[in-house]
Amino acid sequence: DMALRCAASLAAGRQPRGPRREGTVRWSSAAKASAVKINEKASREKILTLESMNPQVKAVEYAVRGPIVLKAGEIEKELRKGIKKPFTEVIKANIGDAHAMGQRPITFLRQVVALCTYPNLLDSPSFPEDAKKRARRILQGCGGNSLGSYTASQGINCIREDVASYIERRDGGVPADPDNIYLTTGASDGISAILKILISGGGKSRTGVMIPIPQYPLYSAAISELGAIQVNYYLDEENCWALNVNELRRALNEAKAYCNPKVLCIINPGNPTGQVQNRKCIEDVIHFAWEEKLFLLADEVYQDNVYSEGCQFHSFKKILYEMGPEYYNNVELASFHSTSKGYMGECGYRGGYMEVINLHPEIKGQLVKLLSVRLCPPVSGQAAMDIVVNPPVPGEESYAQFIKEKESVLNNLAKKAKLTEDMFNKIPGVHCNPLQGAMYAFPRIFIPPKAIEEAKAHKMAPDMFYCMKLLEEAGICVVPGSGFGQREGTYHFRMTILPPVEKLKIVLEKVKDFHIKFLEKYA
């Protein structure tokens, strides 16, 4: 036993403790032999290596938290240590994280979640009655009246009822059934679950998933992880990133040679491209999905973020209903929403929902089974989602403050969208389409041939090279267009418009100065 203890101490790099007696510790030959064996064991090959790991996970890439963001973290550490840079802070414009960028939370939402989290506050006169009413209703839907209990896998019943009522109001009376609503851990969880249940087959019959290019990298990541086939259709940059059905048809017909395309993903308003689809475009897409027997996924998390004059958000569900029973009773559609975007910006609660219509009755059971494996979405996130779909109404005491806060956020975003577009279009070698909605600019940048050569020498995509230089020289963290997909020979980056106006102006000025120097250096 003593020998083993000594050996273990030696293997851990500690001095062995001998029996409690005076004098030096004497090592027995048995202890030495044991120590050598333990060291041999410590250096044996790992079971999990890059070669032995799941190849589908290895293939996953998620650009908005990719190498550029890791580098930004390193630079921040260096700045904290006092290492001199040409800037004093890193401005992270890489991800749509509103509160991290200084946006204030919506008071009413936080009041209700606080009351649900600590029900003793229900007796406090500091909280308005309309917030208490909602908190009591949510708590009554929780086991033991506590946010700390598991809920049904589909989510709390009364919240699903509120989601259905919200959809009916939003869509001008189109019926919504709470039984078709599934509360999710952010929209991402719902999208991944639906893709998981859709993907099957092998070889040429493997499921193909049609996604827009540029796309939000959740889609390509989920497709890689599930071993499905990614089918790209390109948005038309020359026409404000519009979606063209002829392009959908081209992509579908080409894909049929190597997979079975059966899923069509739409992001509206667009991420990273910010376009808002008009009614005619949505009708064309629905007709195409009906004709080609495609399951539709409508990512509508930016439905509150519409800024351009003449643009309006139309849900796929509403247009599908208005196209008549032939479409409405047949096209399978999953639509997604979230607490993370809009005017709320509550990313950390991980609240979301999906509405799935025209699902085969037996598949409904399979979907609930799949969701039950993860037990339930975070219950505080479910409560936050409830306030998004059940906000104060005229006549309630919190209504005036709620509307003031909501409109302030959205008006600010609209101003910043216009400012960003205008300032980018004044920079030589940069072109930015109008930011009709969402919360990003996706400008096209000219990269000179010399810079492209240098990027290749560094084994980097040219726009990754550009964004890395922008980070190292100006302290601005944005995501290269190659992380979202783009037409061959074009280069972009995605930048969020979330920083406060004054900081956003500084960011845009810094990008302008950097870009001009970059063009001069590589001319």
Side-chain angles (χ1 to χ4, degrees):
D1 185 47
M2 174 64 201
L4 278 172
R5 281 213 313 275
C6 288
S9 289
L10 187 68
R14 297 193 300 270
Q15 286 302 311
R17 284 208 313 253
R20 297 186 179 280
R21 64 167 191 259
E22 298 298 313
T24 56
V25 174
R26 296 198 180 278
W27 283 80
S28 72
S29 55
K32 284 176 186 165
S34 255
V36 168
K37 268 187 186 161
I38 284 171
N39 268 332
E40 277 173 5
K41 277 182 185 170
S43 64
R44 77 176 189 174
E45 275 186 21
K46 298 283 183 199
I47 294 160
L48 185 59
T49 65
L50 283 174
E51 285 68 43
S52 70
M53 75 175 282
N54 181 336
Q56 286 162 209
V57 174
K58 196 170 163 184
V60 168
E61 286 182 16
Y62 188 62
V64 294
R65 290 202 171 186
I68 206 109
V69 185
L70 299 176
K71 181 70 179 171
E74 285 170 25
I75 291 173
E76 282 181 317
K77 279 182 192 162
E78 289 173 5
L79 285 169
R80 282 196 291 273
K81 284 179 187 164
I83 295 169
K84 285 277 171 278
K85 301 276 176 195
F87 46 87
T88 53
E89 64 167 336
V90 173
I91 300 174
K92 287 183 176 170
N94 61 295
I95 197 163
D97 191 354
H99 294 191
M101 289 285 174
Q103 184 179 306
R104 306 304 308 148
I106 297 292
T107 305
F108 187 77
L109 187 148
R110 288 298 181 93
Q111 284 173 328
V112 177
V113 177
L115 289 162
C116 289
T117 307
Y118 189 57
N120 292 16
L121 294 172
L122 287 162
D123 299 326
S124 163
S126 306
F127 287 79
E129 268 315 306
D130 47 2
K132 288 178 180 177
K133 187 177 106 185
R134 282 165 178 77
R136 286 191 190 100
R137 183 163 175 271
I138 291 166
L139 288 170
Q140 279 162 11
C142 297
N145 287 336
S146 170
L147 225 52
S149 54
Y150 289 130
T151 71
S153 303
Q154 250 181 284
I156 297 172
N157 269 337
C158 68
I159 299 179
R160 286 165 45 222
E161 286 165 10
D162 288 347
V163 170
S165 301
Y166 161 80
I167 291 169
E168 286 184 5
R169 287 194 310 276
R170 181 198 67 189
D171 292 345
V174 175
D177 180 352
D179 205 37
N180 291 336
I181 309 293
Y182 304 78
L183 299 182
T184 56
T185 308
S188 306
D189 171 52
I191 293 164
S192 300
I194 290 290
L195 285 174
K196 196 175 279 184
I197 208 165
L198 273 162
I199 287 162
S200 65
K204 284 187 178 180
S205 62
R206 189 67 176 160
T207 299
V209 182
M210 299 180 70
I211 63 170
I213 296 295
Q215 52 107 21
Y216 176 53
L218 162 70
Y219 291 93
S220 51
I223 290 164
S224 291
E225 188 184 339
L226 297 166
I229 307 297
Q230 180 174 318
V231 178
N232 296 341
Y233 67 86
Y234 289 88
L235 301 175
D236 182 1
E237 184 171 11
E238 310 309 315
N239 191 15
C240 209
W241 298 112
L243 194 167
N244 185 315
V245 170
N246 292 333
E247 170 58 15
L248 287 179
R249 192 158 275 115
R250 176 209 62 79
L252 180 86
N253 290 337
E254 285 181 15
K256 282 177 178 172
Y258 55 85
C259 69
N260 172 23
K262 65 178 184 188
V263 188
L264 172 56
C265 301
I266 309 288
I267 310 174
N268 178 48
N271 173 11
T273 43
Q275 83 288 6
V276 178
Q277 289 177 6
N278 62 37
R279 172 186 289 272
K280 170 79 170 72
C281 174
I282 295 172
E283 285 174 356
D284 289 348
V285 170
I286 289 170
H287 177 73
F288 177 78
W290 173 81
E291 191 178 44
E292 298 290 349
K293 296 189 173 65
L294 297 170
F295 193 113
L296 264 178
L297 267 57
D299 180 340
E300 298 175 334
V301 301
Y302 296 99
Q303 58 190 261
D304 287 306
N305 302 101
V306 177
Y307 317 121
S308 290
E309 286 294 317
C311 284
Q312 189 190 341
F313 171 74
H314 301 284
S315 78
F316 266 73
K317 161 97 180 287
K318 176 177 188 259
I319 305 296
L320 178 61
Y321 188 81
E322 290 170 355
M323 286 173 74
E326 180 66 20
Y327 293 95
Y328 185 66
N329 294 326
N330 290 302
V331 174
E332 291 154 89
L333 168 70
S335 315
F336 306 90
H337 196 18
S338 163
T339 59
S340 302
K341 309 303 174 187
Y343 56 90
M344 308 77 68
E346 293 283 9
C347 304
Y349 278 120
R350 309 307 302 126
Y353 75 75
M354 59 181 175
E355 181 187 25
V356 192
I357 60 170
N358 291 325
L359 211 52
H360 190 292
E362 287 171 2
I363 290 297
K364 205 166 188 173
Q366 294 293 323
L367 179 58
V368 172
K369 176 186 77 176
L370 175 65
L371 294 172
S372 70
V373 174
R374 56 92 163 111
L375 296 170
C376 68
V379 188
S380 52
Q382 295 186 45
M385 192 73 243
D386 188 61
I387 304 315
V388 176
V389 297
N390 183 25
V393 295
E396 288 188 304
E397 63 185 293
S398 300
Y399 180 73
Q401 184 184 4
F402 169 76
I403 281 296
K404 186 181 165 197
E405 290 177 357
K406 175 181 174 178
E407 287 179 353
S408 167
V409 171
L410 293 174
N411 291 341
N412 242 324
L413 283 167
K415 273 183 211 147
K416 292 190 285 189
K418 192 77 187 93
L419 170 78
T420 304
E421 178 200 338
D422 291 347
M423 283 188 74
F424 272 141
N425 285 326
K426 285 177 185 157
I427 306 173
V430 175
H431 172 72
C432 186
N433 272 327
L435 281 64
Q436 296 175 340
M439 44 185 65
Y440 314 98
F442 196 66
R444 183 166 169 175
I445 48 174
F446 170 69
I447 299 184
K450 267 189 187 173
I452 293 170
E453 281 167 31
E454 193 169 323
K456 281 178 184 161
H458 286 89
K459 293 189 167 56
M460 275 182 177
D463 49 8
M464 171 64 90
F465 176 74
Y466 178 96
C467 292
M468 208 54 103
K469 290 276 185 210
L470 176 63
L471 174 63
E472 289 165 352
E473 293 173 24
I476 308 289
C477 180
V478 297
V479 191
S482 46
F484 301 90
Q486 54 202 349
R487 279 203 183 271
E488 191 71 35
T490 68
Y491 305 107
H492 303 78
F493 62 79
R494 188 189 80 164
M495 185 188 98
T496 173
I497 59 168
L498 289 170
V501 172
E502 290 316 308
K503 188 169 265 192
L504 183 63
K505 283 180 183 167
I506 293 167
V507 170
L508 293 165
E509 283 296 339
K510 283 186 163 198
V511 172
K512 178 185 168 183
D513 295 345
F514 166 81
H515 187 78
I516 290 165
K517 279 184 203 152
F518 186 87
L519 291 186
E520 284 169 1
K521 182 177 177 182
Y522 292 103

Coordinates of all heavy atoms in Angstrom, one line a residue, residues 350-406:
R350 N -33.0 31.3 -23.6 CA -33.2 30.2 -24.5 C -34.7 29.8 -24.6 O -35.1 28.7 -24.4 CB -32.4 29.0 -24.1 CG -30.9 29.2 -23.9 CD -30.2 29.9 -25.0 NE -30.2 29.2 -26.3 CZ -30.7 29.7 -27.4 NH1 -31.0 31.0 -27.5 NH2 -30.7 29.1 -28.5
G351 N -35.5 30.8 -24.9 CA -37.0 30.6 -25.1 C -37.3 30.6 -26.6 O -36.8 31.3 -27.4
G352 N -38.2 29.7 -27.0 CA -38.7 29.7 -28.4 C -39.9 28.8 -28.5 O -40.3 28.1 -27.6
Y353 N -40.5 28.8 -29.7 CA -41.5 27.8 -30.0 C -41.5 27.5 -31.5 O -40.9 28.2 -32.3 CB -42.9 28.4 -29.7 CG -43.5 29.5 -30.6 CD1 -44.0 29.1 -31.8 CD2 -43.5 30.8 -30.2 CE1 -44.5 30.1 -32.7 CE2 -44.0 31.8 -31.0 CZ -44.5 31.4 -32.3 OH -45.0 32.4 -33.1
M354 N -42.1 26.4 -31.8 CA -42.4 26.1 -33.2 C -43.8 25.6 -33.4 O -44.4 25.1 -32.4 CB -41.5 25.0 -33.8 CG -41.5 23.6 -33.1 SD -40.3 22.5 -33.8 CE -40.5 21.1 -32.7
E355 N -44.4 26.0 -34.5 CA -45.8 25.6 -34.8 C -45.6 24.6 -36.0 O -45.0 25.0 -37.0 CB -46.7 26.7 -35.2 CG -48.1 26.3 -35.5 CD -49.0 27.4 -36.1 OE1 -48.5 28.4 -36.6 OE2 -50.2 27.3 -36.0
V356 N -46.1 23.4 -35.9 CA -46.0 22.4 -37.0 C -47.3 22.0 -37.4 O -48.1 21.5 -36.7 CB -45.2 21.2 -36.5 CG1 -44.8 20.3 -37.7 CG2 -43.9 21.6 -35.7
I357 N -47.6 22.2 -38.7 CA -49.0 21.9 -39.2 C -48.9 20.8 -40.3 O -47.9 20.7 -41.0 CB -49.7 23.2 -39.7 CG1 -49.0 23.9 -40.9 CG2 -50.0 24.1 -38.6 CD1 -49.8 25.0 -41.5
N358 N -50.0 20.1 -40.4 CA -50.2 19.0 -41.4 C -49.3 17.9 -41.2 O -48.9 17.2 -42.2 CB -50.1 19.6 -42.9 CG -51.2 20.5 -43.2 OD1 -52.4 20.3 -42.8 ND2 -51.0 21.5 -44.0
L359 N -48.9 17.7 -40.0 CA -48.0 16.5 -39.6 C -48.8 15.3 -39.6 O -50.0 15.3 -39.1 CB -47.4 16.8 -38.3 CG -46.0 16.3 -38.0 CD1 -45.0 16.7 -39.1 CD2 -45.5 16.7 -36.6
H360 N -48.3 14.2 -40.1 CA -48.9 12.9 -40.1 C -49.2 12.5 -38.6 O -48.3 12.7 -37.8 CB -48.0 11.8 -40.7 CG -48.6 10.5 -40.9 ND1 -49.0 9.7 -39.9 CD2 -49.0 9.8 -42.1 CE1 -49.5 8.6 -40.4 NE2 -49.5 8.6 -41.7
P361 N -50.4 12.1 -38.2 CA -50.7 11.8 -36.8 C -49.7 10.9 -36.1 O -49.4 11.2 -35.0 CB -52.1 11.2 -36.9 CG -52.7 11.5 -38.2 CD -51.6 11.8 -39.1
E362 N -49.2 9.9 -36.8 CA -48.2 9.0 -36.2 C -46.9 9.7 -36.0 O -46.2 9.4 -35.0 CB -48.1 7.7 -37.0 CG -49.3 6.8 -36.9 CD -49.2 5.7 -37.9 OE1 -48.2 5.6 -38.7 OE2 -50.2 4.9 -37.9
I363 N -46.6 10.6 -36.9 CA -45.3 11.4 -36.7 C -45.4 12.3 -35.6 O -44.4 12.6 -34.9 CB -45.0 12.1 -38.0 CG1 -44.6 11.1 -39.1 CG2 -43.8 13.1 -37.8 CD1 -43.3 10.3 -38.8
K364 N -46.6 12.8 -35.3 CA -46.7 13.7 -34.1 C -46.3 13.0 -32.8 O -45.5 13.6 -32.0 CB -48.2 14.1 -34.0 CG -48.4 15.4 -33.3 CD -49.9 15.9 -33.5 CE -50.0 17.3 -33.0 NZ -51.3 17.8 -33.3
G365 N -46.7 11.8 -32.7 CA -46.2 11.0 -31.5 C -44.7 10.8 -31.5 O -44.1 10.8 -30.5
Q366 N -44.2 10.6 -32.7 CA -42.7 10.4 -32.8 C -42.0 11.7 -32.4 O -40.9 11.6 -31.8 CB -42.3 10.0 -34.2 CG -42.8 8.6 -34.6 CD -42.2 7.5 -33.8 OE1 -41.0 7.5 -33.5 NE2 -42.9 6.4 -33.5
L367 N -42.5 12.8 -32.8 CA -41.9 14.1 -32.5 C -41.9 14.4 -31.0 O -40.9 14.8 -30.4 CB -42.6 15.2 -33.3 CG -42.0 16.7 -33.0 CD1 -40.5 16.8 -33.3 CD2 -42.8 17.7 -33.8
V368 N -43.1 14.1 -30.4 CA -43.2 14.3 -28.9 C -42.2 13.3 -28.2 O -41.6 13.7 -27.2 CB -44.6 14.1 -28.4 CG1 -44.7 14.1 -26.9 CG2 -45.6 15.2 -29.0
K369 N -42.1 12.1 -28.7 CA -41.1 11.2 -28.1 C -39.7 11.7 -28.2 O -39.0 11.7 -27.2 CB -41.2 9.8 -28.9 CG -40.2 8.8 -28.4 CD -40.2 7.5 -29.3 CE -39.5 7.7 -30.6 NZ -39.5 6.5 -31.4
L370 N -39.3 12.2 -29.4 CA -38.0 12.8 -29.6 C -37.7 13.9 -28.6 O -36.7 14.0 -28.0 CB -37.8 13.2 -31.0 CG -36.5 14.0 -31.4 CD1 -35.3 13.0 -31.3 CD2 -36.6 14.5 -32.8
L371 N -38.7 14.8 -28.5 CA -38.6 16.0 -27.6 C -38.6 15.6 -26.1 O -37.9 16.2 -25.3 CB -39.7 17.0 -27.8 CG -39.8 17.7 -29.2 CD1 -41.0 18.5 -29.4 CD2 -38.5 18.5 -29.4
S372 N -39.2 14.5 -25.8 CA -39.3 14.0 -24.4 C -37.9 13.5 -23.9 O -37.7 13.5 -22.7 CB -40.4 13.0 -24.2 OG -40.0 11.8 -24.8
V373 N -37.1 13.2 -24.8 CA -35.7 12.7 -24.4 C -35.0 13.8 -23.8 O -34.2 13.6 -22.8 CB -34.9 12.2 -25.7 CG1 -33.5 11.8 -25.3 CG2 -35.6 10.9 -26.2
R374 N -35.2 15.1 -24.2 CA -34.5 16.2 -23.5 C -35.4 16.8 -22.4 O -35.2 17.9 -22.0 CB -34.1 17.3 -24.6 CG -35.2 17.9 -25.5 CD -35.8 19.1 -24.9 NE -36.5 19.9 -25.9 CZ -37.8 20.1 -25.9 NH1 -38.6 19.4 -25.0 NH2 -38.4 20.9 -26.7
L375 N -36.4 16.0 -22.0 CA -37.4 16.3 -20.9 C -38.2 17.6 -21.2 O -39.4 17.4 -21.5 CB -36.6 16.5 -19.6 CG -35.9 15.2 -19.1 CD1 -35.0 15.4 -17.9 CD2 -37.0 14.2 -18.7
C376 N -37.7 18.8 -21.1 CA -38.5 20.0 -21.4 C -37.5 21.2 -21.6 O -36.4 21.1 -21.2 CB -39.5 20.3 -20.3 SG -38.7 20.8 -18.8
P377 N -38.0 22.2 -22.3 CA -37.2 23.4 -22.5 C -37.0 24.1 -21.1 O -37.9 23.9 -20.2 CB -37.9 24.3 -23.5 CG -39.1 23.5 -23.9 CD -39.3 22.4 -22.9
P378 N -36.0 25.0 -20.9 CA -35.9 25.7 -19.7 C -37.2 26.4 -19.4 O -37.7 27.1 -20.2 CB -34.7 26.7 -20.0 CG -34.0 26.1 -21.1 CD -35.0 25.3 -21.9
V379 N -37.6 26.3 -18.1 CA -39.0 26.8 -17.8 C -39.0 28.3 -17.7 O -39.9 29.0 -18.0 CB -39.5 26.1 -16.5 CG1 -41.0 26.5 -16.3 CG2 -39.4 24.6 -16.6
S380 N -37.8 28.9 -17.3 CA -37.8 30.4 -17.3 C -37.8 30.9 -18.7 O -38.4 32.0 -19.0 CB -36.5 30.9 -16.6 OG -35.4 30.2 -17.1
G381 N -37.3 30.2 -19.7 CA -37.4 30.5 -21.1 C -38.8 30.4 -21.6 O -39.2 31.2 -22.4
Q382 N -39.5 29.4 -21.1 CA -40.9 29.3 -21.5 C -41.7 30.5 -21.0 O -42.6 31.0 -21.7 CB -41.5 28.0 -20.9 CG -40.9 26.7 -21.5 CD -41.7 25.5 -21.0 OE1 -42.9 25.4 -20.9 NE2 -40.9 24.5 -20.5
A383 N -41.4 30.9 -19.7 CA -42.1 32.1 -19.1 C -41.8 33.3 -19.9 O -42.7 34.1 -20.2 CB -41.7 32.3 -17.7
A384 N -40.5 33.5 -20.3 CA -40.1 34.7 -21.2 C -40.9 34.7 -22.5 O -41.4 35.7 -23.0 CB -38.6 34.7 -21.4
M385 N -41.0 33.5 -23.1 CA -41.7 33.3 -24.4 C -43.2 33.7 -24.2 O -43.8 34.4 -25.1 CB -41.6 31.9 -24.9 CG -42.0 31.7 -26.3 SD -40.9 32.4 -27.6 CE -41.8 33.6 -28.4
D386 N -43.7 33.4 -23.0 CA -45.1 33.8 -22.8 C -45.3 35.3 -22.9 O -46.4 35.7 -23.4 CB -45.6 33.2 -21.4 CG -47.1 33.4 -21.3 OD1 -47.9 32.8 -22.1 OD2 -47.5 34.2 -20.4
I387 N -44.4 36.0 -22.3 CA -44.6 37.5 -22.3 C -44.4 38.1 -23.7 O -45.0 39.1 -24.0 CB -43.6 38.2 -21.3 CG1 -43.8 37.5 -19.9 CG2 -43.8 39.7 -21.2 CD1 -45.3 37.3 -19.5
V388 N -43.6 37.4 -24.6 CA -43.5 37.9 -26.0 C -44.8 37.7 -26.7 O -45.2 38.6 -27.4 CB -42.4 37.1 -26.7 CG1 -42.3 37.5 -28.2 CG2 -41.0 37.3 -26.0
V389 N -45.5 36.6 -26.4 CA -46.8 36.4 -27.1 C -48.0 36.9 -26.3 O -49.1 37.0 -26.9 CB -47.0 34.9 -27.4 CG1 -45.9 34.4 -28.3 CG2 -47.0 34.0 -26.1
N390 N -47.8 37.3 -25.1 CA -48.9 37.8 -24.2 C -48.5 39.1 -23.5 O -48.5 39.1 -22.3 CB -49.3 36.7 -23.3 CG -50.5 37.0 -22.4 OD1 -51.3 37.9 -22.8 ND2 -50.6 36.4 -21.2
P391 N -48.1 40.1 -24.3 CA -47.6 41.3 -23.6 C -48.8 42.2 -23.1 O -50.0 41.8 -23.3 CB -47.0 42.1 -24.8 CG -47.8 41.7 -26.0 CD -48.2 40.2 -25.7
P392 N -48.5 43.3 -22.3 CA -49.6 44.1 -21.8 C -50.4 44.6 -23.0 O -49.9 44.9 -24.1 CB -48.8 45.3 -21.2 CG -47.5 44.7 -20.9 CD -47.2 43.8 -22.0
V393 N -51.7 44.8 -22.7 CA -52.6 45.3 -23.7 C -53.2 46.7 -23.3 O -53.1 47.0 -22.1 CB -53.8 44.3 -24.0 CG1 -53.3 43.0 -24.6 CG2 -54.6 44.0 -22.7
P394 N -53.7 47.5 -24.2 CA -54.3 48.8 -23.9 C -55.3 48.6 -22.7 O -56.1 47.7 -22.7 CB -55.0 49.2 -25.1 CG -54.3 48.6 -26.2 CD -53.9 47.2 -25.7
G395 N -55.2 49.5 -21.7 CA -56.0 49.4 -20.5 C -55.3 48.8 -19.3 O -55.7 49.0 -18.2
E396 N -54.2 48.0 -19.6 CA -53.5 47.5 -18.5 C -52.4 48.5 -18.0 O -51.9 49.3 -18.8 CB -52.8 46.2 -18.9 CG -53.8 45.0 -19.0 CD -53.1 43.7 -19.2 OE1 -52.3 43.5 -20.2 OE2 -53.4 42.7 -18.4
E397 N -52.0 48.5 -16.7 CA -51.2 49.5 -16.2 C -49.8 49.6 -16.8 O -49.1 50.6 -16.8 CB -51.1 49.5 -14.6 CG -50.5 48.2 -14.1 CD -50.6 48.1 -12.6 OE1 -50.0 49.0 -11.9 OE2 -51.3 47.3 -12.0
S398 N -49.3 48.4 -17.3 CA -47.9 48.4 -17.8 C -47.8 48.7 -19.3 O -46.7 48.8 -19.8 CB -47.3 47.0 -17.5 OG -47.2 46.7 -16.2
Y399 N -49.0 48.9 -19.9 CA -49.0 49.0 -21.4 C -48.2 50.2 -21.9 O -47.4 50.0 -22.8 CB -50.5 49.1 -21.9 CG -50.6 49.3 -23.4 CD1 -50.3 48.2 -24.2 CD2 -50.9 50.5 -24.0 CE1 -50.4 48.4 -25.6 CE2 -51.0 50.7 -25.3 CZ -50.7 49.6 -26.2 OH -50.8 49.7 -27.5
A400 N -48.4 51.4 -21.3 CA -47.7 52.6 -21.8 C -46.2 52.4 -21.7 O -45.5 52.7 -22.7 CB -48.1 53.8 -20.9
Q401 N -45.7 51.9 -20.6 CA -44.2 51.7 -20.5 C -43.7 50.7 -21.5 O -42.7 50.8 -22.1 CB -43.8 51.4 -19.1 CG -42.3 51.3 -18.9 CD -41.8 50.8 -17.5 OE1 -42.7 50.5 -16.7 NE2 -40.5 50.8 -17.3
F402 N -44.5 49.6 -21.6 CA -44.1 48.5 -22.5 C -44.0 49.0 -23.9 O -43.0 48.7 -24.6 CB -45.1 47.3 -22.4 CG -44.9 46.3 -23.5 CD1 -43.9 45.4 -23.4 CD2 -45.8 46.3 -24.6 CE1 -43.8 44.4 -24.4 CE2 -45.6 45.3 -25.6 CZ -44.6 44.4 -25.5
I403 N -45.0 49.7 -24.4 CA -45.0 50.2 -25.8 C -43.9 51.2 -26.0 O -43.2 51.1 -27.1 CB -46.4 50.8 -26.1 CG1 -47.4 49.7 -26.5 CG2 -46.3 51.8 -27.3 CD1 -47.1 48.8 -27.7
K404 N -43.6 52.0 -25.1 CA -42.6 53.0 -25.2 C -41.2 52.3 -25.3 O -40.4 52.6 -26.2 CB -42.6 53.9 -23.9 CG -41.6 55.1 -24.0 CD -41.6 55.9 -22.7 CE -40.4 56.8 -22.6 NZ -40.2 57.3 -21.3
E405 N -41.0 51.3 -24.5 CA -39.7 50.5 -24.6 C -39.5 49.8 -25.9 O -38.5 49.8 -26.5 CB -39.6 49.6 -23.4 CG -39.4 50.3 -22.0 CD -39.4 49.3 -20.9 OE1 -39.6 48.1 -21.0 OE2 -39.1 49.8 -19.7
K406 N -40.6 49.1 -26.3 CA -40.6 48.3 -27.5 C -40.3 49.2 -28.7 O -39.5 48.9 -29.5 CB -42.0 47.6 -27.7 CG -42.1 46.8 -29.0 CD -43.5 46.1 -29.1 CE -43.7 45.5 -30.5 NZ -45.0 44.8 -30.6

